[in-house]
Amino acid sequence: MIEITSSPVSVQPVIDHVRQNHHGCLVNFVGTVRDHSEGKQVIYLEYETYRKMAENKLHEIIRTIKQRWAADCAVVHRIGRVEVGDTVVVIVVGAGHRAEAFVACQYAIDRIKEIVPIWKKEYYTDGSSWIGHPPTP
């Protein structure tokens, strides 16, 4: 399961999608909007994406997880405006053993941040800024 959505994200459907009887564990990562960043008060965030490329990169990450750790993985990422406290990304990894699941889950979020074209703009009480590389106009 890979989903990029402008709708609110729920954790349980992602868990339900990954859960299998052969899994000894499920490791979940839930990324939320915090109320501060680098000493500034965050009001809300906006995420933009190059959807087709983002989906391709997410498939690549999931394929790697399957090959390296024999684990199943699902990712849901929200785009558009998100408020403080909202869920932005949910990653669920199911594996036979916890060690593989933890490593695979960390790999997933690290690679998403590194290679998936989803960009974040933070809005503060005194302005805004793109985090990472802004989208090309």
Side-chain angles (χ1 to χ4, degrees):
M1 164 192 253
I2 289 174
E3 185 178 352
I4 298 172
T5 181
S6 58
S7 299
V9 176
S10 297
V11 177
Q12 194 60 49
V14 187
I15 291 171
D16 293 344
H17 181 82
V18 173
R19 183 186 304 268
Q20 300 292 320
N21 288 338
H22 64 274
H23 293 148
C25 69
L26 296 171
V27 171
N28 311 316
F29 175 85
V30 179
T32 60
V33 179
R34 66 180 173 263
D35 65 357
H36 66 281
S37 178
E38 298 188 21
K40 295 183 179 188
Q41 182 180 353
V42 172
I43 302 170
Y44 66 93
L45 306 178
E46 284 186 358
Y47 284 88
E48 293 186 13
T49 187
Y50 175 15
R51 186 181 296 270
K52 184 65 177 161
M53 183 182 284
E55 290 169 348
N56 288 341
K57 291 297 185 181
L58 290 169
H59 280 291
E60 178 183 311
I61 291 166
I62 288 174
R63 275 193 306 274
T64 300
I65 287 169
K66 185 78 163 169
Q67 292 169 352
R68 282 191 192 170
W69 296 285
D72 297 309
C73 180
V75 177
V76 177
H77 202 298
R78 187 152 172 209
I79 57 171
R81 182 176 171 144
V82 289
E83 305 296 328
V84 170
D86 285 354
T87 298
V88 175
V89 62
V90 174
I91 301 168
V92 178
V93 175
H97 302 281
R98 68 182 179 274
E100 291 85 359
F102 276 110
V103 171
C105 193
Q106 181 161 1
Y107 172 85
I109 190 59
D110 289 348
R111 290 300 284 162
I112 287 168
K113 297 264 188 188
E114 291 170 359
I115 68 169
V116 178
I118 297 176
W119 303 280
K120 173 174 68 173
K121 188 172 187 180
E122 294 182 339
Y123 289 83
Y124 317 107
T125 54
D126 65 348
S128 65
S129 66
W130 285 101
I131 305 303
H133 299 287
T136 304

